[in-house]
Amino acid sequence: MDFGQALKKVKNGEKIFRHGWNGKGMFVVYQKGYPSGIPCNQQTAKAWGLNEGDLFKCEPYLQIKMTNGSHAMWVPSINDILAEDWEYIH
């Protein structure tokens, strides 16, 4: 499927990935964010100059599971956007 179709899947809760990615087990999820805010933890408070427990507002974003098991915010490359080899995990 193309990226437009994949984006609809991920926004509906599916995990998406490209068959051609090098990393085994990598996939992308949609994080809905916290538009009304969520109490921030100590690490977030320190990074943003807030007090622990202050409301931290966050817009939706895409997040990728890396090959080492960690997670990171993700922005598709132009190759990802134009690819037609997207798949999803139920």
Side-chain angles (χ1 to χ4, degrees):
M1 76 184 137
D2 66 29
F3 185 69
Q5 295 165 314
L7 188 58
K8 287 179 184 175
K9 291 284 189 189
V10 78
K11 288 175 84 174
N12 283 325
E14 305 289 352
K15 297 171 183 167
I16 60 170
F17 67 99
R18 286 190 58 205
H19 184 69
W21 279 351
N22 293 331
K24 199 173 195 178
M26 293 174 68
F27 59 83
V28 172
V29 298
Y30 177 75
Q31 292 290 342
K32 294 183 180 180
Y34 303 99
S36 298
I38 186 170
C40 61
N41 60 26
Q42 184 180 24
Q43 179 179 328
T44 302
K46 184 176 179 181
W48 293 100
L50 301 169
N51 295 310
E52 189 173 350
D54 284 354
L55 282 184
F56 185 77
K57 295 181 180 183
C58 182
E59 297 298 321
Y61 59 95
L62 297 174
Q63 188 177 68
I64 191 166
K65 179 178 181 255
M66 309 297 286
T67 56
N68 67 1
S70 68
H71 302 85
M73 288 182 155
W74 181 77
V75 177
S77 70
I78 190 68
N79 290 335
D80 290 326
I81 292 171
L82 296 176
E84 297 190 9
D85 64 349
W86 283 96
E87 298 181 40
Y88 68 98
I89 302 167
H90 303 282

